[in-house]
Amino acid sequence: MADVDVLLLRLAQGVVRDVERGVPLPVRLCRAAVDILECDGAAMTLAYTHLERVTLCATDDTALAIEETQDVLGQGPGHDAFRTRAYVRLDLMPEDAGPDPRWPLLKSEELSALAPVVVHALPMGEGSGTIGVLTLYRRGRDADLDIAAGLLVAQVLAAALLADAPTLERAGYGEWSDRALVHQATGMVVAQLGLPVADALALIRAHAYAHDHSVGETAREVVDHELTFSGSPDEDIEST
């Protein structure tokens, strides 16, 4: 593992980069983590298994695809890292005949197309103070990660985000706006069907999965009245 002071210095250098261009702190932190841990991309998601889950940033389309697939399916290394507060790894290899048995639903054409790639999920924070998950990926086989260094970086990122809480509370980022849409859409489905909130969110996720959409995209359809869930078993779900 690299020296702690060296890691912190590199993180500080990464955070300073692009600050004058107005790049949001979560994005700068995410990019710095990728550089420090020598990965190809990363995403940071808060409240991973909760209704208020939000992906603060994703460095590229691959990182975003990994996060959105887990969001839609409700399982994956990120979910386990958040629940267990421990490091979790997923190897996506082209020869895999099926999904990882730990996550039987975690399979899609989009994920399969990423192979070979190794996904590393690290809890952000410690114990009950875990606020989210830093998910990194490295292309290729046997793309190992310095886990001790990764856990340290994830903890430091969590501390930085908590210190920047006023910024995070402002809905200035697209990702926060998307999650607000999910809340609004969930409430609309609750009103349409009289379901508990968790069940309404499950329906939105199911519809997103069936139509190869992100949860955010499906939520926007509900809010824009392009998608209406049936009020009775005899009616079909309407999508315009």
Side-chain angles (χ1 to χ4, degrees), residues 10-98:
R10 293 185 62 189
L11 181 64
Q13 292 171 337
V15 170
V16 170
R17 192 180 306 138
D18 292 331
V19 66
E20 293 183 355
R21 294 173 50 208
V23 175
L25 176 62
V27 176
R28 285 181 275 129
L29 288 170
C30 214
R31 291 174 178 172
V34 170
D35 291 340
I36 293 169
L37 299 171
E38 299 179 347
C39 291
D40 292 301
M44 289 196 304
T45 298
L46 302 186
Y48 215 96
T49 64
H50 300 167
L51 178 62
E52 61 270 25
R53 167 196 168 109
V54 58
T55 297
L56 287 182
C57 65
T59 59
D60 53 35
D61 290 342
T62 296
L64 183 60
I66 292 170
E67 289 303 278
E68 287 190 340
T69 300
Q70 293 184 87
D71 189 13
V72 169
L73 299 177
Q75 59 180 232
H79 286 75
D80 283 14
F82 188 73
R83 290 193 184 99
T84 65
R85 300 178 175 87
Y87 165 79
V88 182
R89 169 174 172 155
L90 167 65
D91 291 72
L92 293 171
M93 296 297 134
E95 66 273 15
D96 289 344

Side-chain angles (χ1 to χ4, degrees), residues 107-156:
K107 187 170 180 64
S108 69
E109 292 183 3
E110 192 169 21
L111 276 186
S112 298
L114 302 178
V117 68
V118 179
V119 179
H120 304 279
L122 302 137
M124 296 174 62
E126 292 184 285
S128 60
T130 299
I131 64 171
V133 176
L134 171 66
T135 304
L136 303 116
Y137 75 87
R138 298 181 74 177
R139 295 188 178 92
R141 300 172 181 274
D142 301 320
D144 295 334
L145 180 77
D146 184 334
I147 299 174
L151 288 170
L152 175 60
V153 169
Q155 290 169 17
V156 172

